[in-house]
Amino acid sequence: MGEIKSQQIGLFNGAVTDKKRGRAAFEAGDFEAARYYFNKAQALDPCLSDLSLLQNVANLLSELIQKNGRSKTGLIRSWKTLVATRCRGEISAREFALAERPLCQLLLQKISEKDVGYLDGREQSLHIGYCYLVLNDFRQAHHLILDYLTTYQLFDARLWGYLGDCAWQLEWYDEARLDYLRALFIDPMRLDYEKLAYPDLKNLYRELKMTYPDEAVAESLIPIFGWLNGLFTIPQQDGVMRQYVARKHWQQRGTLPLTNLERYRRFAQCLFLDQSRLQPSIDFELRIEMQQLAPKLFQQYLNKL
């Protein structure tokens, strides 16, 4: 009996060792070696924690690398395929997060001094700062994203969202709230909500998704309910952000919003402009427009003031 128990312990220890070796190979980007060790571990102990998950991800990455190669272009193509696979619901959020870490690690080994922004050029889907964010190097990610935003492209909602994630992880909470504020009032449908580091904002997103079947409508309401719920405040200012929202609002003047999405986006613009005004006098035209766009939301707005 003791001998059998000793053999079982030996098999379990061997499986754990092989899993660790597989994980080390996986993190190093050697997906074939990772598959080999994960398969060995499964043969010894198929019930080992997370082993099936690791095998699935290693298999997926191995196939992507075989197809696209390990060049910078090939790795970007693999990352985009991974994103598309996640969007189709073919892999879980956990599988996606596990898979993109080694891809981003490999990509950063291929970059040059010329790579200061989006690694895929005009398509602008994969930013160098995002790679550092994925690898939890929040200071470097923050530095690269902020530098790009202030130098090249100030109104990139997705990057402002990632900057907020970096700031939140660094415990710069006041800055993070301002970053999320900018992102949401530039375009709430551009944020990466799965990666949101601000727990209350992420919970609001989930609640609105459950309430409103149309995801775009749910996202258009996040800046409104975010302000109503006190997740951030809108500073009184006449800076570039107010000018940007005012220009967007002016461009849509005279058009009648026909859909809920259009109405809520216009309402959010009005809310921002009303809250950020420097003058003590009320802009009654703005508030009349808010009331016409969404009477119930407008009442909630007045109750909050």
Side-chain angles (χ1 to χ4, degrees):
M1 186 73 176
E3 184 179 348
I4 294 174
K5 186 176 181 180
S6 178
Q7 289 176 347
Q8 290 175 336
I9 292 172
L11 289 172
F12 176 76
N13 288 339
V16 171
T17 299
D18 283 330
K19 181 186 173 185
K20 287 181 179 178
R21 288 172 176 168
R23 190 63 189 261
F26 180 88
E27 294 292 342
D30 189 348
F31 306 121
E32 284 300 315
R35 292 173 70 182
Y36 170 76
Y37 284 116
F38 290 150
N39 289 338
K40 274 189 70 179
Q42 185 187 45
L44 294 172
D45 186 355
C47 298
L48 207 59
S49 173
D50 289 337
L51 188 55
S52 176
L53 174 74
L54 289 167
Q55 282 181 300
N56 290 340
V57 175
N59 289 337
L60 173 60
L61 289 176
S62 181
E63 291 171 6
L64 287 174
I65 294 297
Q66 286 179 14
K67 180 180 179 181
N68 298 318
R70 289 177 176 266
S71 67
K72 176 184 165 183
T73 303
L75 291 168
I76 292 171
R77 191 180 300 120
S78 291
W79 180 83
K80 289 183 177 181
T81 302
L82 189 68
V83 171
T85 304
R86 171 62 188 142
C87 290
R88 293 193 299 268
E90 295 173 10
I91 57 174
S92 66
R94 190 179 178 195
E95 286 172 318
F96 177 78
L98 186 63
E100 71 170 349
R101 271 187 65 87
L103 278 183
C104 287
Q105 183 69 59
L106 291 171
L107 255 173
L108 290 178
Q109 295 170 9
K110 303 288 184 181
I111 63 172
S112 66
E113 294 180 358
K114 296 179 181 179
D115 295 310
V116 294
Y118 281 100
L119 299 175
D120 55 342
R122 293 182 179 179
E123 292 186 34
Q124 296 194 344
S125 59
L126 180 58
H127 194 277
I128 184 174
Y130 174 82
C131 293
Y132 283 100
L133 174 60
V134 167
L135 296 171
N136 296 337
D137 189 344
F138 303 119
R139 285 185 182 274
Q140 182 67 357
H142 185 277
H143 166 71
L144 290 168
I145 293 172
L146 181 59
D147 183 65
Y148 182 84
L149 282 167
T150 54
T151 306
Y152 298 102
Q153 194 168 334
L154 189 58
F155 300 110
D156 188 324
R158 198 170 187 84
L159 285 187
W160 279 113
Y162 288 142
L163 192 70
D165 295 334
C166 296
W168 192 273
Q169 296 290 359
L170 292 166
E171 300 183 359
W172 302 342
Y173 300 124
D174 289 341
E175 185 204 314
R177 290 185 178 93
L178 279 173
D179 294 336
Y180 288 129
L181 171 74
R182 291 187 183 98
L184 288 167
F185 282 95
I186 291 171
D187 189 347
M189 287 178 283
R190 286 282 296 150
L191 272 72
D192 187 345
Y193 289 100
E194 283 193 348
K195 278 196 166 50
L196 274 181
Y198 187 177
D200 291 343
L201 191 57
K202 195 163 191 172
N203 289 337
L204 175 62
Y205 166 68
R206 289 169 175 165
E207 290 168 11
L208 290 172
K209 269 189 71 177
M210 291 177 64
T211 307
Y212 297 89
D214 187 329
E215 187 169 359
V217 169
E219 291 173 357
S220 71
L221 284 163
I222 293 174
I224 300 169
F225 280 101
W227 182 86
L228 288 172
N229 293 349
L231 302 190
F232 44 74
T233 57
I234 299 172
Q236 292 179 316
Q237 44 93 5
D238 192 24
V240 292
M241 187 63 199
R242 178 178 170 82
Q243 293 168 17
Y244 174 84
V245 175
R247 185 169 66 252
K248 287 288 186 183
H249 182 257
W250 182 81
Q251 287 170 349
Q252 297 168 359
R253 73 195 187 288
T255 61
L256 180 66
L258 299 177
T259 67
N260 286 335
L261 174 61
E262 292 168 336
R263 288 192 296 113
Y264 295 146
R265 295 203 68 172
R266 283 277 288 276
F267 189 96
Q269 292 169 356
C270 293
L271 187 155
F272 187 94
L273 294 172
D274 195 47
Q275 282 298 302
S276 63
R277 74 185 189 280
L278 292 172
Q279 301 82 3
S281 57
I282 295 172
D283 186 336
F284 287 103
E285 287 188 12
L286 208 57
R287 293 198 177 179
I288 289 171
E289 183 180 355
M290 293 172 76
Q291 185 176 31
Q292 292 173 340
L293 288 167
K296 291 182 179 179
L297 275 179
F298 180 65
Q299 188 58 55
Q300 288 179 264
Y301 177 72
L302 291 181
N303 293 340
K304 169 84 173 176
L305 296 178

